[in-house]
PDB file of all heavy atoms in Angstrom:
ATOM      1  N   TRP E   1     -15.337  -3.403  21.335  1.00 96.00           N
ATOM      2  CA  TRP E   1     -15.922  -3.721  22.535  1.00 96.00           C
ATOM      3  C   TRP E   1     -15.167  -3.095  23.702  1.00 96.00           C
ATOM      4  O   TRP E   1     -15.728  -2.513  24.577  1.00 96.00           O
ATOM      5  CB  TRP E   1     -16.155  -5.200  22.714  1.00 96.00           C
ATOM      6  CG  TRP E   1     -16.825  -5.513  24.004  1.00 96.00           C
ATOM      7  CD1 TRP E   1     -18.197  -5.492  24.165  1.00 96.00           C
ATOM      8  CD2 TRP E   1     -16.300  -5.932  25.191  1.00 96.00           C
ATOM      9  NE1 TRP E   1     -18.522  -5.857  25.515  1.00 96.00           N
ATOM     10  CE2 TRP E   1     -17.347  -6.111  26.173  1.00 96.00           C
ATOM     11  CE3 TRP E   1     -15.001  -6.169  25.624  1.00 96.00           C
ATOM     12  CZ2 TRP E   1     -17.015  -6.565  27.392  1.00 96.00           C
ATOM     13  CZ3 TRP E   1     -14.743  -6.542  26.910  1.00 96.00           C
ATOM     14  CH2 TRP E   1     -15.791  -6.743  27.832  1.00 96.00           C
ATOM     15  N   LEU E   2     -13.831  -3.304  23.662  1.00 97.00           N
ATOM     16  CA  LEU E   2     -13.023  -2.769  24.831  1.00 97.00           C
ATOM     17  C   LEU E   2     -13.182  -1.213  24.912  1.00 97.00           C
ATOM     18  O   LEU E   2     -13.197  -0.691  26.010  1.00 97.00           O
ATOM     19  CB  LEU E   2     -11.571  -3.173  24.580  1.00 97.00           C
ATOM     20  CG  LEU E   2     -11.234  -4.636  24.877  1.00 97.00           C
ATOM     21  CD1 LEU E   2      -9.795  -4.826  24.399  1.00 97.00           C
ATOM     22  CD2 LEU E   2     -11.416  -4.924  26.345  1.00 97.00           C
ATOM     23  N   ALA E   3     -13.165  -0.604  23.742  1.00 97.00           N
ATOM     24  CA  ALA E   3     -13.252   0.873  23.727  1.00 97.00           C
ATOM     25  C   ALA E   3     -14.542   1.434  24.356  1.00 97.00           C
ATOM     26  O   ALA E   3     -14.499   2.487  24.925  1.00 97.00           O
ATOM     27  CB  ALA E   3     -13.172   1.353  22.235  1.00 97.00           C
ATOM     28  N   ALA E   4     -15.610   0.593  24.334  1.00 97.00           N
ATOM     29  CA  ALA E   4     -16.898   0.949  24.911  1.00 97.00           C
ATOM     30  C   ALA E   4     -16.913   0.731  26.464  1.00 97.00           C
ATOM     31  O   ALA E   4     -17.919   1.147  26.987  1.00 97.00           O
ATOM     32  CB  ALA E   4     -17.994   0.379  24.192  1.00 97.00           C
ATOM     33  N   GLN E   5     -15.911   0.075  26.963  1.00 97.00           N
ATOM     34  CA  GLN E   5     -16.038  -0.220  28.409  1.00 97.00           C
ATOM     35  C   GLN E   5     -15.453   0.961  29.259  1.00 97.00           C
ATOM     36  O   GLN E   5     -14.797   1.812  28.705  1.00 97.00           O
ATOM     37  CB  GLN E   5     -15.104  -1.430  28.644  1.00 97.00           C
ATOM     38  CG  GLN E   5     -15.479  -2.760  27.898  1.00 97.00           C
ATOM     39  CD  GLN E   5     -16.902  -3.126  27.998  1.00 97.00           C
ATOM     40  OE1 GLN E   5     -17.399  -3.315  29.153  1.00 97.00           O
ATOM     41  NE2 GLN E   5     -17.668  -3.143  26.934  1.00 97.00           N
ATOM     42  N   THR E   6     -15.622   0.865  30.589  1.00 95.00           N
ATOM     43  CA  THR E   6     -15.051   1.821  31.509  1.00 95.00           C
ATOM     44  C   THR E   6     -13.537   1.625  31.317  1.00 95.00           C
ATOM     45  O   THR E   6     -13.047   0.573  31.219  1.00 95.00           O
ATOM     46  CB  THR E   6     -15.507   1.537  32.900  1.00 95.00           C
ATOM     47  OG1 THR E   6     -16.845   1.558  32.998  1.00 95.00           O
ATOM     48  CG2 THR E   6     -14.880   2.438  33.874  1.00 95.00           C
ATOM     49  N   ASN E   7     -12.784   2.763  31.228  1.00 97.00           N
ATOM     50  CA  ASN E   7     -11.395   2.651  31.022  1.00 97.00           C
ATOM     51  C   ASN E   7     -11.037   2.270  29.618  1.00 97.00           C
ATOM     52  O   ASN E   7      -9.982   1.677  29.381  1.00 97.00           O
ATOM     53  CB  ASN E   7     -10.603   1.767  32.071  1.00 97.00           C
ATOM     54  CG  ASN E   7      -9.202   2.091  32.252  1.00 97.00           C
ATOM     55  OD1 ASN E   7      -8.750   3.174  31.889  1.00 97.00           O
ATOM     56  ND2 ASN E   7      -8.463   1.070  32.622  1.00 97.00           N
ATOM     57  N   GLY E   8     -11.901   2.485  28.667  1.00 97.00           N
ATOM     58  CA  GLY E   8     -11.843   1.907  27.322  1.00 97.00           C
ATOM     59  C   GLY E   8     -10.517   2.345  26.627  1.00 97.00           C
ATOM     60  O   GLY E   8      -9.962   1.581  25.935  1.00 97.00           O
ATOM     61  N   ALA E   9     -10.140   3.577  26.766  1.00 98.00           N
ATOM     62  CA  ALA E   9      -8.911   4.133  26.097  1.00 98.00           C
ATOM     63  C   ALA E   9      -7.666   3.335  26.533  1.00 98.00           C
ATOM     64  O   ALA E   9      -6.792   3.018  25.663  1.00 98.00           O
ATOM     65  CB  ALA E   9      -8.774   5.603  26.269  1.00 98.00           C
ATOM     66  N   GLN E  10      -7.601   3.067  27.739  1.00 98.00           N
ATOM     67  CA  GLN E  10      -6.487   2.286  28.380  1.00 98.00           C
ATOM     68  C   GLN E  10      -6.575   0.893  27.999  1.00 98.00           C
ATOM     69  O   GLN E  10      -5.464   0.264  27.644  1.00 98.00           O
ATOM     70  CB  GLN E  10      -6.371   2.544  29.884  1.00 98.00           C
ATOM     71  CG  GLN E  10      -6.047   3.993  30.302  1.00 98.00           C
ATOM     72  CD  GLN E  10      -4.736   4.441  29.751  1.00 98.00           C
ATOM     73  OE1 GLN E  10      -3.662   3.730  29.858  1.00 98.00           O
ATOM     74  NE2 GLN E  10      -4.667   5.578  29.095  1.00 98.00           N
ATOM     75  N   LEU E  11      -7.683   0.243  27.995  1.00 98.00           N
ATOM     76  CA  LEU E  11      -7.802  -1.099  27.576  1.00 98.00           C
ATOM     77  C   LEU E  11      -7.480  -1.332  26.051  1.00 98.00           C
ATOM     78  O   LEU E  11      -6.713  -2.206  25.780  1.00 98.00           O
ATOM     79  CB  LEU E  11      -9.330  -1.529  27.768  1.00 98.00           C
ATOM     80  CG  LEU E  11      -9.818  -1.571  29.168  1.00 98.00           C
ATOM     81  CD1 LEU E  11     -11.343  -1.847  29.179  1.00 98.00           C
ATOM     82  CD2 LEU E  11      -9.092  -2.588  30.040  1.00 98.00           C
ATOM     83  N   VAL E  12      -7.793  -0.312  25.224  1.00 98.00           N
ATOM     84  CA  VAL E  12      -7.487  -0.392  23.831  1.00 98.00           C
ATOM     85  C   VAL E  12      -5.927  -0.217  23.706  1.00 98.00           C
ATOM     86  O   VAL E  12      -5.329  -0.936  22.905  1.00 98.00           O
ATOM     87  CB  VAL E  12      -8.227   0.611  22.949  1.00 98.00           C
ATOM     88  CG1 VAL E  12      -7.560   0.757  21.561  1.00 98.00           C
ATOM     89  CG2 VAL E  12      -9.739   0.228  22.837  1.00 98.00           C
ATOM     90  N   LYS E  13      -5.290   0.647  24.498  1.00 98.00           N
ATOM     91  CA  LYS E  13      -3.867   0.798  24.451  1.00 98.00           C
ATOM     92  C   LYS E  13      -3.164  -0.432  24.767  1.00 98.00           C
ATOM     93  O   LYS E  13      -2.195  -0.844  24.088  1.00 98.00           O
ATOM     94  CB  LYS E  13      -3.523   2.009  25.322  1.00 98.00           C
ATOM     95  CG  LYS E  13      -1.946   2.332  25.369  1.00 98.00           C
ATOM     96  CD  LYS E  13      -1.634   3.454  26.184  1.00 98.00           C
ATOM     97  CE  LYS E  13      -0.269   3.815  26.188  1.00 98.00           C
ATOM     98  NZ  LYS E  13       0.202   4.885  27.086  1.00 98.00           N
ATOM     99  N   ALA E  14      -3.572  -1.104  25.803  1.00 98.00           N
ATOM    100  CA  ALA E  14      -3.022  -2.357  26.256  1.00 98.00           C
ATOM    101  C   ALA E  14      -3.218  -3.454  25.205  1.00 98.00           C
ATOM    102  O   ALA E  14      -2.247  -4.246  24.864  1.00 98.00           O
ATOM    103  CB  ALA E  14      -3.580  -2.861  27.568  1.00 98.00           C
ATOM    104  N   TYR E  15      -4.408  -3.474  24.593  1.00 98.00           N
ATOM    105  CA  TYR E  15      -4.769  -4.439  23.449  1.00 98.00           C
ATOM    106  C   TYR E  15      -3.720  -4.227  22.376  1.00 98.00           C
ATOM    107  O   TYR E  15      -3.200  -5.160  21.781  1.00 98.00           O
ATOM    108  CB  TYR E  15      -6.177  -4.117  23.051  1.00 98.00           C
ATOM    109  CG  TYR E  15      -6.720  -4.665  21.838  1.00 98.00           C
ATOM    110  CD1 TYR E  15      -7.464  -5.898  21.818  1.00 98.00           C
ATOM    111  CD2 TYR E  15      -6.366  -4.151  20.521  1.00 98.00           C
ATOM    112  CE1 TYR E  15      -8.023  -6.459  20.616  1.00 98.00           C
ATOM    113  CE2 TYR E  15      -6.805  -4.749  19.423  1.00 98.00           C
ATOM    114  CZ  TYR E  15      -7.718  -5.858  19.369  1.00 98.00           C
ATOM    115  OH  TYR E  15      -8.147  -6.421  18.200  1.00 98.00           O
ATOM    116  N   GLU E  16      -3.527  -3.029  21.931  1.00 98.00           N
ATOM    117  CA  GLU E  16      -2.607  -2.638  20.884  1.00 98.00           C
ATOM    118  C   GLU E  16      -1.192  -3.137  21.135  1.00 98.00           C
ATOM    119  O   GLU E  16      -0.449  -3.503  20.257  1.00 98.00           O
ATOM    120  CB  GLU E  16      -2.754  -1.141  20.420  1.00 98.00           C
ATOM    121  CG  GLU E  16      -4.092  -0.924  19.753  1.00 98.00           C
ATOM    122  CD  GLU E  16      -4.355   0.542  19.472  1.00 98.00           C
ATOM    123  OE1 GLU E  16      -3.648   1.429  20.130  1.00 98.00           O
ATOM    124  OE2 GLU E  16      -5.212   0.843  18.662  1.00 98.00           O
ATOM    125  N   GLU E  17      -0.780  -2.788  22.402  1.00 98.00           N
ATOM    126  CA  GLU E  17       0.578  -3.225  22.889  1.00 98.00           C
ATOM    127  C   GLU E  17       0.756  -4.690  22.730  1.00 98.00           C
ATOM    128  O   GLU E  17       1.801  -5.226  22.300  1.00 98.00           O
ATOM    129  CB  GLU E  17       0.813  -2.715  24.233  1.00 98.00           C
ATOM    130  CG  GLU E  17       0.931  -1.216  24.307  1.00 98.00           C
ATOM    131  CD  GLU E  17       0.977  -0.672  25.742  1.00 98.00           C
ATOM    132  OE1 GLU E  17       0.532  -1.318  26.656  1.00 98.00           O
ATOM    133  OE2 GLU E  17       1.563   0.439  25.879  1.00 98.00           O
ATOM    134  N   ILE E  18      -0.307  -5.476  23.287  1.00 98.00           N
ATOM    135  CA  ILE E  18      -0.138  -6.929  23.159  1.00 98.00           C
ATOM    136  C   ILE E  18      -0.235  -7.457  21.782  1.00 98.00           C
ATOM    137  O   ILE E  18       0.562  -8.265  21.430  1.00 98.00           O
ATOM    138  CB  ILE E  18      -1.368  -7.479  23.997  1.00 98.00           C
ATOM    139  CG1 ILE E  18      -1.145  -7.280  25.532  1.00 98.00           C
ATOM    140  CG2 ILE E  18      -1.479  -9.027  23.773  1.00 98.00           C
ATOM    141  CD1 ILE E  18      -2.320  -7.600  26.456  1.00 98.00           C
ATOM    142  N   ALA E  19      -1.095  -6.947  20.950  1.00 97.00           N
ATOM    143  CA  ALA E  19      -1.166  -7.340  19.484  1.00 97.00           C
ATOM    144  C   ALA E  19       0.207  -7.064  18.816  1.00 97.00           C
ATOM    145  O   ALA E  19       0.647  -8.067  18.081  1.00 97.00           O
ATOM    146  CB  ALA E  19      -2.343  -6.661  18.780  1.00 97.00           C
ATOM    147  N   ALA E  20       0.718  -5.913  19.009  1.00 98.00           N
ATOM    148  CA  ALA E  20       2.017  -5.577  18.361  1.00 98.00           C
ATOM    149  C   ALA E  20       3.082  -6.461  18.889  1.00 98.00           C
ATOM    150  O   ALA E  20       4.009  -7.041  18.163  1.00 98.00           O
ATOM    151  CB  ALA E  20       2.326  -4.144  18.630  1.00 98.00           C
ATOM    152  N   GLY E  21       3.123  -6.863  20.190  1.00 98.00           N
ATOM    153  CA  GLY E  21       4.133  -7.600  20.826  1.00 98.00           C
ATOM    154  C   GLY E  21       4.059  -9.103  20.284  1.00 98.00           C
ATOM    155  O   GLY E  21       5.122  -9.696  20.065  1.00 98.00           O
ATOM    156  N   ILE E  22       2.855  -9.591  20.176  1.00 97.00           N
ATOM    157  CA  ILE E  22       2.632 -10.911  19.626  1.00 97.00           C
ATOM    158  C   ILE E  22       3.057 -10.965  18.167  1.00 97.00           C
ATOM    159  O   ILE E  22       3.743 -11.954  17.808  1.00 97.00           O
ATOM    160  CB  ILE E  22       1.188 -11.416  19.779  1.00 97.00           C
ATOM    161  CG1 ILE E  22       0.962 -11.696  21.277  1.00 97.00           C
ATOM    162  CG2 ILE E  22       0.898 -12.656  19.010  1.00 97.00           C
ATOM    163  CD1 ILE E  22      -0.517 -11.870  21.594  1.00 97.00           C
ATOM    164  N   GLU E  23       2.705  -9.919  17.400  1.00 96.00           N
ATOM    165  CA  GLU E  23       3.057  -9.934  16.034  1.00 96.00           C
ATOM    166  C   GLU E  23       4.610 -10.073  15.829  1.00 96.00           C
ATOM    167  O   GLU E  23       5.065 -10.853  14.936  1.00 96.00           O
ATOM    168  CB  GLU E  23       2.586  -8.645  15.347  1.00 96.00           C
ATOM    169  CG  GLU E  23       2.871  -8.545  13.890  1.00 96.00           C
ATOM    170  CD  GLU E  23       2.176  -9.705  13.085  1.00 96.00           C
ATOM    171  OE1 GLU E  23       0.994 -10.022  13.393  1.00 96.00           O
ATOM    172  OE2 GLU E  23       2.774 -10.121  12.083  1.00 96.00           O
ATOM    173  N   SER E  24       5.336  -9.432  16.631  1.00 96.00           N
ATOM    174  CA  SER E  24       6.892  -9.338  16.512  1.00 96.00           C
ATOM    175  C   SER E  24       7.425 -10.498  17.475  1.00 96.00           C
ATOM    176  O   SER E  24       8.630 -10.486  17.701  1.00 96.00           O
ATOM    177  CB  SER E  24       7.471  -8.034  16.856  1.00 96.00           C
ATOM    178  OG  SER E  24       7.006  -7.536  18.190  1.00 96.00           O
ATOM    179  N   MET E  25       6.575 -11.310  18.116  1.00 97.00           N
ATOM    180  CA  MET E  25       7.016 -12.417  18.927  1.00 97.00           C
ATOM    181  C   MET E  25       7.918 -11.974  20.092  1.00 97.00           C
ATOM    182  O   MET E  25       8.816 -12.631  20.499  1.00 97.00           O
ATOM    183  CB  MET E  25       7.697 -13.489  18.164  1.00 97.00           C
ATOM    184  CG  MET E  25       6.760 -14.268  17.278  1.00 97.00           C
ATOM    185  SD  MET E  25       7.491 -15.695  16.535  1.00 97.00           S
ATOM    186  CE  MET E  25       7.467 -16.903  17.887  1.00 97.00           C
ATOM    187  N   LYS E  26       7.585 -10.844  20.746  1.00 97.00           N
ATOM    188  CA  LYS E  26       8.285 -10.446  21.977  1.00 97.00           C
ATOM    189  C   LYS E  26       8.049 -11.464  23.004  1.00 97.00           C
ATOM    190  O   LYS E  26       6.980 -11.867  23.242  1.00 97.00           O
ATOM    191  CB  LYS E  26       7.839  -9.084  22.435  1.00 97.00           C
ATOM    192  CG  LYS E  26       8.330  -7.968  21.501  1.00 97.00           C
ATOM    193  CD  LYS E  26       7.986  -6.615  22.100  1.00 97.00           C
ATOM    194  CE  LYS E  26       8.534  -5.526  21.187  1.00 97.00           C
ATOM    195  NZ  LYS E  26       8.279  -4.159  21.799  1.00 97.00           N
ATOM    196  N   GLU E  27       9.126 -11.761  23.651  1.00 97.00           N
ATOM    197  CA  GLU E  27       9.030 -12.682  24.877  1.00 97.00           C
ATOM    198  C   GLU E  27       8.337 -12.004  26.046  1.00 97.00           C
ATOM    199  O   GLU E  27       7.641 -12.679  26.798  1.00 97.00           O
ATOM    200  CB  GLU E  27      10.465 -13.263  25.287  1.00 97.00           C
ATOM    201  CG  GLU E  27      10.952 -14.155  24.210  1.00 97.00           C
ATOM    202  CD  GLU E  27      12.296 -14.870  24.632  1.00 97.00           C
ATOM    203  OE1 GLU E  27      12.458 -14.971  25.902  1.00 97.00           O
ATOM    204  OE2 GLU E  27      12.974 -15.283  23.732  1.00 97.00           O
ATOM    205  N   GLU E  28       8.528 -10.699  26.211  1.00 98.00           N
ATOM    206  CA  GLU E  28       7.940  -9.877  27.220  1.00 98.00           C
ATOM    207  C   GLU E  28       7.459  -8.675  26.571  1.00 98.00           C
ATOM    208  O   GLU E  28       8.163  -7.925  25.837  1.00 98.00           O
ATOM    209  CB  GLU E  28       8.938  -9.566  28.366  1.00 98.00           C
ATOM    210  CG  GLU E  28       9.459 -10.742  29.085  1.00 98.00           C
ATOM    211  CD  GLU E  28      10.401 -10.370  30.258  1.00 98.00           C
ATOM    212  OE1 GLU E  28      11.089  -9.326  30.101  1.00 98.00           O
ATOM    213  OE2 GLU E  28      10.483 -11.191  31.205  1.00 98.00           O
ATOM    214  N   ILE E  29       6.108  -8.363  26.877  1.00 98.00           N
ATOM    215  CA  ILE E  29       5.501  -7.219  26.164  1.00 98.00           C
ATOM    216  C   ILE E  29       5.279  -6.159  27.344  1.00 98.00           C
ATOM    217  O   ILE E  29       4.405  -6.368  28.279  1.00 98.00           O
ATOM    218  CB  ILE E  29       4.200  -7.587  25.575  1.00 98.00           C
ATOM    219  CG1 ILE E  29       4.382  -8.683  24.520  1.00 98.00           C
ATOM    220  CG2 ILE E  29       3.512  -6.366  24.944  1.00 98.00           C
ATOM    221  CD1 ILE E  29       3.166  -9.387  23.951  1.00 98.00           C
ATOM    222  N   PRO E  30       6.037  -5.034  27.304  1.00 98.00           N
ATOM    223  CA  PRO E  30       5.757  -3.981  28.343  1.00 98.00           C
ATOM    224  C   PRO E  30       4.378  -3.400  28.128  1.00 98.00           C
ATOM    225  O   PRO E  30       3.970  -3.104  27.010  1.00 98.00           O
ATOM    226  CB  PRO E  30       6.859  -2.988  28.037  1.00 98.00           C
ATOM    227  CG  PRO E  30       7.803  -3.630  27.159  1.00 98.00           C
ATOM    228  CD  PRO E  30       7.113  -4.704  26.451  1.00 98.00           C
ATOM    229  N   ILE E  31       3.637  -3.245  29.185  1.00 98.00           N
ATOM    230  CA  ILE E  31       2.380  -2.622  29.159  1.00 98.00           C
ATOM    231  C   ILE E  31       2.410  -1.244  29.841  1.00 98.00           C
ATOM    232  O   ILE E  31       2.650  -1.003  30.996  1.00 98.00           O
ATOM    233  CB  ILE E  31       1.252  -3.395  29.895  1.00 98.00           C
ATOM    234  CG1 ILE E  31       1.222  -4.839  29.272  1.00 98.00           C
ATOM    235  CG2 ILE E  31      -0.151  -2.830  29.905  1.00 98.00           C
ATOM    236  CD1 ILE E  31       0.839  -4.934  27.945  1.00 98.00           C
ATOM    237  N   THR E  32       2.270  -0.103  28.941  1.00 97.00           N
ATOM    238  CA  THR E  32       2.366   1.231  29.432  1.00 97.00           C
ATOM    239  C   THR E  32       0.928   1.728  29.758  1.00 97.00           C
ATOM    240  O   THR E  32       0.799   2.784  30.391  1.00 97.00           O
ATOM    241  CB  THR E  32       2.994   2.136  28.472  1.00 97.00           C
ATOM    242  OG1 THR E  32       2.286   2.115  27.220  1.00 97.00           O
ATOM    243  CG2 THR E  32       4.469   1.687  28.229  1.00 97.00           C
ATOM    244  N   ALA E  33       0.005   0.987  29.271  1.00 97.00           N
ATOM    245  CA  ALA E  33      -1.440   1.440  29.496  1.00 97.00           C
ATOM    246  C   ALA E  33      -1.741   1.204  31.006  1.00 97.00           C
ATOM    247  O   ALA E  33      -1.133   0.418  31.733  1.00 97.00           O
ATOM    248  CB  ALA E  33      -2.446   0.544  28.654  1.00 97.00           C
ATOM    249  N   ASP E  34      -2.664   2.007  31.522  1.00 97.00           N
ATOM    250  CA  ASP E  34      -3.073   1.908  32.928  1.00 97.00           C
ATOM    251  C   ASP E  34      -4.276   0.953  33.070  1.00 97.00           C
ATOM    252  O   ASP E  34      -5.367   1.417  33.001  1.00 97.00           O
ATOM    253  CB  ASP E  34      -3.441   3.279  33.479  1.00 97.00           C
ATOM    254  CG  ASP E  34      -3.841   3.380  34.915  1.00 97.00           C
ATOM    255  OD1 ASP E  34      -3.368   2.372  35.655  1.00 97.00           O
ATOM    256  OD2 ASP E  34      -4.278   4.442  35.338  1.00 97.00           O
ATOM    257  N   ILE E  35      -3.894  -0.304  33.114  1.00 97.00           N
ATOM    258  CA  ILE E  35      -4.959  -1.361  33.397  1.00 97.00           C
ATOM    259  C   ILE E  35      -4.585  -2.187  34.600  1.00 97.00           C
ATOM    260  O   ILE E  35      -3.411  -2.360  34.919  1.00 97.00           O
ATOM    261  CB  ILE E  35      -5.094  -2.279  32.150  1.00 97.00           C
ATOM    262  CG1 ILE E  35      -3.903  -3.149  31.950  1.00 97.00           C
ATOM    263  CG2 ILE E  35      -5.567  -1.444  30.903  1.00 97.00           C
ATOM    264  CD1 ILE E  35      -4.096  -4.246  30.902  1.00 97.00           C
TER     265      ILE E  35
END
């Protein structure tokens, strides 16, 4: 769904950064996506 939104590629990038950060239990997850 995010991929189909305006700015979809960046939304998906942030989604993937958050999912990976949560999986590894990062206390702070850097967001390099432009959201």
Side-chain angles (χ1 to χ4, degrees):
W1 181 82
L2 286 171
Q5 304 305 302
T6 302
N7 198 27
Q10 293 299 308
L11 296 172
V12 167
K13 183 177 180 182
Y15 169 102
E16 291 172 343
E17 291 171 336
I18 291 169
I22 288 170
E23 182 65 34
S24 60
M25 291 190 77
K26 287 187 176 181
E27 290 185 27
E28 294 182 333
I29 303 169
I31 303 299
T32 62
D34 187 14
I35 65 165

